[in-house]
Amino acid sequence: MPSQPVQFGRYAPARRVIVHLSDTHLLAGNRLLGGRYDTAANLAATLAAVERTGVRPDAIVFTGDLTDLGEPEAYAALRAEVEPFAARLGAPIVWVAGNHDERPALREGLFDAAPTHEPVTAVHDLGGLRLIALDSTVPGWHHGDLDDAQLAWLRETLAEPAPLGTILALHHPPLPSHIPFFDILELRHQDALATAIADTDVRAILAGHLHYATAGTFAGVPVSVASATCYTMNLQRPPAEVNGMDAGQSFHLVHVYDDTITHAVVPVGEAETAEFFTPKWVEQMAALTPAERLDAFSRKR
């Protein structure tokens, strides 16, 4: 390959890349979740799939429900599994709290911080791209909300634009779901969040909670929901009958360009794959002029 990547299309390479995962739901002692889901094995399979992509991300974001019951041993197991993985990829980890997490144990177990009940929030500078972790959890409840203090902090943080803009990460997505039980557990007071991000540099919102991948817009901002690593929702059922299944796990590759952000859904399960497109093929295409490349690959023979 040439020392500098050849630009095959109109877009230059992404400025930043984020790996977005969600809903690991680990349990102490690696007990089966619901008596059927091996959450630790499914997390390990997901991380292995991430490594197979060869990605060197600018951050690895977990959008909540890191554990199922907020057990200290579960946070320790999560940290022991993910930190070496992140070190191999050379990327920081962004932990986001979910409704199944417990703030004191999360703070102590993942941040070595005092086990307080304060919201788990943070601001990460990814080389000019600002990533803000919000805490939409409500202690003692499973629905989501953002209190006035956190919204005021968000407004203050967003007052100064970042060079590459801002991405928000939170657990409860500000989107509708066609599944009844998820609408009961939705993010409440969404109008207040919309007001807080109005006329700011927020370019995207990352979320979890739903255990299936979906996307939409909120206050004009694209929202991308990553599926779960533990189990996913079988949407091949009427909405009132949707339940979990141990299949279809995936994660997202988030590519941040100057004018857009893409969210590629990457399946975890391995399958037999063709070998037509190879590094040698790419090298051959790179050696051609743009006109020759178009003739070689685009023209119908």
Side-chain angles (χ1 to χ4, degrees):
M1 290 292 291
S3 57
Q4 294 296 324
V6 174
Q7 183 175 325
F8 287 165
R10 63 172 289 166
Y11 293 100
R15 299 288 293 273
R16 301 291 179 267
V17 180
I18 294 170
V19 173
H20 176 200
L21 310 95
S22 200
D23 292 82
T24 48
H25 283 267
L26 293 194
L27 283 162
N30 191 29
R31 307 191 308 279
L32 295 181
L33 180 62
R36 63 188 302 163
Y37 306 114
D38 189 336
T39 60
N42 288 345
L43 171 61
T46 302
L47 300 185
V50 173
E51 291 204 67
R52 285 196 294 273
T53 70
V55 67
R56 301 291 291 181
D58 295 279
I60 303 163
V61 181
F62 287 79
T63 49
D65 281 1
L66 309 172
T67 68
D68 193 62
L69 297 174
E71 300 161 303
E73 185 181 336
Y75 288 114
L78 177 64
R79 190 171 181 176
E81 183 74 19
V82 174
E83 285 188 347
F85 158 80
R88 291 193 297 271
L89 270 58
I93 308 167
V94 178
W95 301 115
V96 177
N99 52 283
H100 278 265
D101 292 303
E102 297 295 338
R103 290 174 178 173
L106 189 160
R107 285 180 165 278
E108 188 170 37
L110 297 182
F111 298 109
D112 297 321
T116 71
H117 288 274
E118 293 299 309
V120 181
T121 59
V123 180
H124 302 264
D125 180 5
L126 307 179
L129 176 67
R130 181 168 53 195
L131 179 62
I132 299 178
L134 298 174
D135 189 340
S136 60
T137 69
V138 180
W141 301 81
H142 282 297
H143 67 270
D145 211 344
L146 297 167
D147 63 22
D148 292 340
Q150 191 172 168
L151 289 170
W153 171 80
L154 177 61
R155 289 192 297 269
E156 181 180 350
T157 303
L158 292 173
E160 183 71 25
L164 298 181
T166 297
I167 293 178
L168 303 183
L170 76 167
H171 184 63
H172 298 80
L175 290 178
S177 170
H178 70 285
I179 301 173
F181 65 83
F182 275 127
D183 280 343
I184 299 171
L185 306 180
E186 68 184 358
L187 179 70
R188 296 168 60 85
H189 304 108
Q190 294 183 21
D191 289 347
L193 176 59
T195 299
I197 67 175
D199 301 316
T200 69
D201 69 345
V202 174
R203 300 180 60 190
I205 298 173
L206 309 182
H209 187 51
L210 301 182
H211 289 236
Y212 66 91
T214 189
T217 57
F218 171 74
V221 176
V223 180
S224 178
V225 180
S227 187
T229 74
C230 61
Y231 68 87
T232 66
M233 305 312 297
N234 187 351
L235 301 185
Q236 297 182 36
R237 290 180 167 205
E241 298 177 15
V242 166
N243 275 269
M245 63 178 182
D246 197 3
Q249 285 88 347
S250 64
F251 61 92
H252 286 183
L253 288 178
V254 182
H255 288 82
V256 180
Y257 299 89
D258 286 334
D259 299 320
T260 191
I261 299 177
T262 64
H263 307 261
V265 180
V266 185
V268 170
E270 295 187 72
E272 184 177 352
T273 306
E275 297 293 342
F276 180 83
F277 301 108
T278 64
K280 182 178 179 181
W281 184 92
V282 175
E283 185 177 357
Q284 292 170 342
M285 289 295 108
L288 302 177
T289 67
E292 291 171 336
R293 194 177 304 134
L294 200 65
D295 183 73
F297 191 54
S298 176
R299 184 184 299 277
K300 295 181 180 180
R301 304 300 179 185

PDB file of all heavy atoms in Angstrom, residues 17-37:
ATOM      1  N   VAL A  17     -12.833   8.176  14.928  1.00  0.00           N
ATOM      2  CA  VAL A  17     -13.590   6.915  14.899  1.00  0.00           C
ATOM      3  C   VAL A  17     -13.875   6.496  16.333  1.00  0.00           C
ATOM      4  O   VAL A  17     -12.992   6.539  17.197  1.00  0.00           O
ATOM      5  CB  VAL A  17     -12.811   5.801  14.174  1.00  0.00           C
ATOM      6  CG1 VAL A  17     -13.632   4.509  14.158  1.00  0.00           C
ATOM      7  CG2 VAL A  17     -12.450   6.226  12.751  1.00  0.00           C
ATOM      8  N   ILE A  18     -15.119   6.105  16.584  1.00  0.00           N
ATOM      9  CA  ILE A  18     -15.546   5.678  17.917  1.00  0.00           C
ATOM     10  C   ILE A  18     -16.164   4.294  17.810  1.00  0.00           C
ATOM     11  O   ILE A  18     -16.934   4.010  16.881  1.00  0.00           O
ATOM     12  CB  ILE A  18     -16.582   6.671  18.507  1.00  0.00           C
ATOM     13  CG1 ILE A  18     -15.936   8.033  18.750  1.00  0.00           C
ATOM     14  CG2 ILE A  18     -17.196   6.126  19.800  1.00  0.00           C
ATOM     15  CD1 ILE A  18     -16.945   9.120  19.092  1.00  0.00           C
ATOM     16  N   VAL A  19     -15.831   3.420  18.747  1.00  0.00           N
ATOM     17  CA  VAL A  19     -16.522   2.146  18.892  1.00  0.00           C
ATOM     18  C   VAL A  19     -17.619   2.332  19.929  1.00  0.00           C
ATOM     19  O   VAL A  19     -17.350   2.752  21.053  1.00  0.00           O
ATOM     20  CB  VAL A  19     -15.554   1.026  19.330  1.00  0.00           C
ATOM     21  CG1 VAL A  19     -16.331  -0.254  19.647  1.00  0.00           C
ATOM     22  CG2 VAL A  19     -14.518   0.755  18.244  1.00  0.00           C
ATOM     23  N   HIS A  20     -18.847   2.047  19.544  1.00  0.00           N
ATOM     24  CA  HIS A  20     -20.004   2.262  20.416  1.00  0.00           C
ATOM     25  C   HIS A  20     -20.638   0.909  20.744  1.00  0.00           C
ATOM     26  O   HIS A  20     -21.135   0.206  19.860  1.00  0.00           O
ATOM     27  CB  HIS A  20     -21.008   3.181  19.711  1.00  0.00           C
ATOM     28  CG  HIS A  20     -22.284   3.394  20.457  1.00  0.00           C
ATOM     29  ND1 HIS A  20     -23.443   3.843  19.843  1.00  0.00           N
ATOM     30  CD2 HIS A  20     -22.608   3.237  21.769  1.00  0.00           C
ATOM     31  CE1 HIS A  20     -24.408   3.932  20.734  1.00  0.00           C
ATOM     32  NE2 HIS A  20     -23.928   3.568  21.914  1.00  0.00           N
ATOM     33  N   LEU A  21     -20.594   0.542  22.035  1.00  0.00           N
ATOM     34  CA  LEU A  21     -21.207  -0.688  22.531  1.00  0.00           C
ATOM     35  C   LEU A  21     -22.189  -0.331  23.636  1.00  0.00           C
ATOM     36  O   LEU A  21     -22.135   0.771  24.203  1.00  0.00           O
ATOM     37  CB  LEU A  21     -20.150  -1.646  23.088  1.00  0.00           C
ATOM     38  CG  LEU A  21     -18.925  -1.954  22.235  1.00  0.00           C
ATOM     39  CD1 LEU A  21     -17.780  -1.041  22.616  1.00  0.00           C
ATOM     40  CD2 LEU A  21     -18.505  -3.393  22.381  1.00  0.00           C
ATOM     41  N   SER A  22     -23.040  -1.279  23.992  1.00  0.00           N
ATOM     42  CA  SER A  22     -24.018  -0.970  25.030  1.00  0.00           C
ATOM     43  C   SER A  22     -24.527  -2.221  25.726  1.00  0.00           C
ATOM     44  O   SER A  22     -24.414  -3.340  25.207  1.00  0.00           O
ATOM     45  CB  SER A  22     -25.208  -0.206  24.424  1.00  0.00           C
ATOM     46  OG  SER A  22     -25.926   0.487  25.426  1.00  0.00           O
ATOM     47  N   ASP A  23     -25.060  -2.005  26.925  1.00  0.00           N
ATOM     48  CA  ASP A  23     -25.847  -2.992  27.666  1.00  0.00           C
ATOM     49  C   ASP A  23     -25.140  -4.331  27.820  1.00  0.00           C
ATOM     50  O   ASP A  23     -25.572  -5.358  27.290  1.00  0.00           O
ATOM     51  CB  ASP A  23     -27.216  -3.160  26.998  1.00  0.00           C
ATOM     52  CG  ASP A  23     -28.068  -1.912  27.140  1.00  0.00           C
ATOM     53  OD1 ASP A  23     -27.892  -0.965  26.336  1.00  0.00           O
ATOM     54  OD2 ASP A  23     -28.875  -1.848  28.074  1.00  0.00           O
ATOM     55  N   THR A  24     -24.064  -4.323  28.587  1.00  0.00           N
ATOM     56  CA  THR A  24     -23.323  -5.552  28.860  1.00  0.00           C
ATOM     57  C   THR A  24     -23.988  -6.391  29.957  1.00  0.00           C
ATOM     58  O   THR A  24     -23.893  -7.615  29.949  1.00  0.00           O
ATOM     59  CB  THR A  24     -21.882  -5.212  29.254  1.00  0.00           C
ATOM     60  OG1 THR A  24     -21.885  -4.186  30.247  1.00  0.00           O
ATOM     61  CG2 THR A  24     -21.108  -4.703  28.053  1.00  0.00           C
ATOM     62  N   HIS A  25     -24.628  -5.737  30.946  1.00  0.00           N
ATOM     63  CA  HIS A  25     -25.427  -6.418  31.973  1.00  0.00           C
ATOM     64  C   HIS A  25     -24.680  -7.549  32.694  1.00  0.00           C
ATOM     65  O   HIS A  25     -25.255  -8.633  32.930  1.00  0.00           O
ATOM     66  CB  HIS A  25     -26.721  -6.973  31.368  1.00  0.00           C
ATOM     67  CG  HIS A  25     -27.789  -5.950  31.128  1.00  0.00           C
ATOM     68  ND1 HIS A  25     -28.776  -5.673  32.050  1.00  0.00           N
ATOM     69  CD2 HIS A  25     -28.018  -5.119  30.077  1.00  0.00           C
ATOM     70  CE1 HIS A  25     -29.572  -4.723  31.567  1.00  0.00           C
ATOM     71  NE2 HIS A  25     -29.126  -4.369  30.362  1.00  0.00           N
ATOM     72  N   LEU A  26     -23.429  -7.330  33.064  1.00  0.00           N
ATOM     73  CA  LEU A  26     -22.690  -8.380  33.764  1.00  0.00           C
ATOM     74  C   LEU A  26     -23.243  -8.626  35.168  1.00  0.00           C
ATOM     75  O   LEU A  26     -23.742  -7.706  35.822  1.00  0.00           O
ATOM     76  CB  LEU A  26     -21.211  -8.010  33.862  1.00  0.00           C
ATOM     77  CG  LEU A  26     -20.406  -7.957  32.558  1.00  0.00           C
ATOM     78  CD1 LEU A  26     -18.916  -7.913  32.879  1.00  0.00           C
ATOM     79  CD2 LEU A  26     -20.712  -9.136  31.649  1.00  0.00           C
ATOM     80  N   LEU A  27     -23.111  -9.857  35.623  1.00  0.00           N
ATOM     81  CA  LEU A  27     -23.530 -10.259  36.962  1.00  0.00           C
ATOM     82  C   LEU A  27     -22.341 -10.829  37.724  1.00  0.00           C
ATOM     83  O   LEU A  27     -21.436 -11.436  37.140  1.00  0.00           O
ATOM     84  CB  LEU A  27     -24.634 -11.318  36.884  1.00  0.00           C
ATOM     85  CG  LEU A  27     -26.029 -10.806  36.531  1.00  0.00           C
ATOM     86  CD1 LEU A  27     -26.901 -11.948  36.050  1.00  0.00           C
ATOM     87  CD2 LEU A  27     -26.667 -10.119  37.731  1.00  0.00           C
ATOM     88  N   ALA A  28     -22.331 -10.640  39.027  1.00  0.00           N
ATOM     89  CA  ALA A  28     -21.274 -11.188  39.868  1.00  0.00           C
ATOM     90  C   ALA A  28     -21.241 -12.705  39.734  1.00  0.00           C
ATOM     91  O   ALA A  28     -22.292 -13.368  39.664  1.00  0.00           O
ATOM     92  CB  ALA A  28     -21.501 -10.795  41.329  1.00  0.00           C
ATOM     93  N   GLY A  29     -20.020 -13.260  39.703  1.00  0.00           N
ATOM     94  CA  GLY A  29     -19.881 -14.707  39.576  1.00  0.00           C
ATOM     95  C   GLY A  29     -20.270 -15.238  38.223  1.00  0.00           C
ATOM     96  O   GLY A  29     -20.430 -16.452  38.055  1.00  0.00           O
ATOM     97  N   ASN A  30     -20.459 -14.331  37.259  1.00  0.00           N
ATOM     98  CA  ASN A  30     -20.865 -14.715  35.907  1.00  0.00           C
ATOM     99  C   ASN A  30     -22.110 -15.601  35.918  1.00  0.00           C
ATOM    100  O   ASN A  30     -22.212 -16.595  35.181  1.00  0.00           O
ATOM    101  CB  ASN A  30     -19.731 -15.405  35.143  1.00  0.00           C
ATOM    102  CG  ASN A  30     -20.047 -15.563  33.651  1.00  0.00           C
ATOM    103  OD1 ASN A  30     -20.776 -14.758  33.085  1.00  0.00           O
ATOM    104  ND2 ASN A  30     -19.512 -16.591  33.028  1.00  0.00           N
ATOM    105  N   ARG A  31     -23.084 -15.256  36.785  1.00  0.00           N
ATOM    106  CA  ARG A  31     -24.358 -15.967  36.760  1.00  0.00           C
ATOM    107  C   ARG A  31     -25.056 -15.692  35.430  1.00  0.00           C
ATOM    108  O   ARG A  31     -24.904 -14.622  34.841  1.00  0.00           O
ATOM    109  CB  ARG A  31     -25.249 -15.504  37.929  1.00  0.00           C
ATOM    110  CG  ARG A  31     -24.562 -15.592  39.272  1.00  0.00           C
ATOM    111  CD  ARG A  31     -25.529 -15.394  40.429  1.00  0.00           C
ATOM    112  NE  ARG A  31     -26.349 -14.208  40.335  1.00  0.00           N
ATOM    113  CZ  ARG A  31     -25.935 -12.975  40.676  1.00  0.00           C
ATOM    114  NH1 ARG A  31     -24.683 -12.781  41.077  1.00  0.00           N
ATOM    115  NH2 ARG A  31     -26.758 -11.961  40.612  1.00  0.00           N
ATOM    116  N   LEU A  32     -25.828 -16.637  34.962  1.00  0.00           N
ATOM    117  CA  LEU A  32     -26.572 -16.442  33.729  1.00  0.00           C
ATOM    118  C   LEU A  32     -27.669 -15.414  33.939  1.00  0.00           C
ATOM    119  O   LEU A  32     -28.461 -15.517  34.889  1.00  0.00           O
ATOM    120  CB  LEU A  32     -27.173 -17.763  33.250  1.00  0.00           C
ATOM    121  CG  LEU A  32     -26.190 -18.853  32.837  1.00  0.00           C
ATOM    122  CD1 LEU A  32     -26.957 -20.083  32.355  1.00  0.00           C
ATOM    123  CD2 LEU A  32     -25.227 -18.361  31.755  1.00  0.00           C
ATOM    124  N   LEU A  33     -27.736 -14.439  33.088  1.00  0.00           N
ATOM    125  CA  LEU A  33     -28.767 -13.410  33.174  1.00  0.00           C
ATOM    126  C   LEU A  33     -30.111 -14.021  32.789  1.00  0.00           C
ATOM    127  O   LEU A  33     -30.248 -14.610  31.709  1.00  0.00           O
ATOM    128  CB  LEU A  33     -28.424 -12.253  32.247  1.00  0.00           C
ATOM    129  CG  LEU A  33     -29.404 -11.081  32.203  1.00  0.00           C
ATOM    130  CD1 LEU A  33     -29.521 -10.411  33.571  1.00  0.00           C
ATOM    131  CD2 LEU A  33     -28.970 -10.056  31.148  1.00  0.00           C
ATOM    132  N   GLY A  34     -31.084 -13.916  33.689  1.00  0.00           N
ATOM    133  CA  GLY A  34     -32.387 -14.519  33.427  1.00  0.00           C
ATOM    134  C   GLY A  34     -32.319 -16.020  33.314  1.00  0.00           C
ATOM    135  O   GLY A  34     -33.243 -16.640  32.769  1.00  0.00           O
ATOM    136  N   GLY A  35     -31.240 -16.606  33.820  1.00  0.00           N
ATOM    137  CA  GLY A  35     -31.077 -18.048  33.749  1.00  0.00           C
ATOM    138  C   GLY A  35     -30.736 -18.581  32.381  1.00  0.00           C
ATOM    139  O   GLY A  35     -30.688 -19.797  32.171  1.00  0.00           O
ATOM    140  N   ARG A  36     -30.406 -17.668  31.416  1.00  0.00           N
ATOM    141  CA  ARG A  36     -30.178 -18.166  30.055  1.00  0.00           C
ATOM    142  C   ARG A  36     -29.081 -17.442  29.291  1.00  0.00           C
ATOM    143  O   ARG A  36     -28.540 -17.991  28.337  1.00  0.00           O
ATOM    144  CB  ARG A  36     -31.486 -18.099  29.264  1.00  0.00           C
ATOM    145  CG  ARG A  36     -32.046 -16.708  29.074  1.00  0.00           C
ATOM    146  CD  ARG A  36     -33.443 -16.748  28.452  1.00  0.00           C
ATOM    147  NE  ARG A  36     -33.450 -17.418  27.171  1.00  0.00           N
ATOM    148  CZ  ARG A  36     -34.550 -17.879  26.576  1.00  0.00           C
ATOM    149  NH1 ARG A  36     -35.711 -17.772  27.193  1.00  0.00           N
ATOM    150  NH2 ARG A  36     -34.480 -18.469  25.406  1.00  0.00           N
ATOM    151  N   TYR A  37     -28.702 -16.208  29.658  1.00  0.00           N
ATOM    152  CA  TYR A  37     -27.749 -15.447  28.849  1.00  0.00           C
ATOM    153  C   TYR A  37     -26.389 -15.375  29.541  1.00  0.00           C
ATOM    154  O   TYR A  37     -26.276 -14.864  30.662  1.00  0.00           O
ATOM    155  CB  TYR A  37     -28.260 -14.025  28.600  1.00  0.00           C
ATOM    156  CG  TYR A  37     -29.645 -13.972  27.987  1.00  0.00           C
ATOM    157  CD1 TYR A  37     -30.725 -13.444  28.696  1.00  0.00           C
ATOM    158  CD2 TYR A  37     -29.868 -14.452  26.696  1.00  0.00           C
ATOM    159  CE1 TYR A  37     -31.991 -13.396  28.140  1.00  0.00           C
ATOM    160  CE2 TYR A  37     -31.134 -14.407  26.136  1.00  0.00           C
ATOM    161  CZ  TYR A  37     -32.196 -13.881  26.857  1.00  0.00           C
ATOM    162  OH  TYR A  37     -33.452 -13.835  26.299  1.00  0.00           O
TER     163      TYR A  37
END
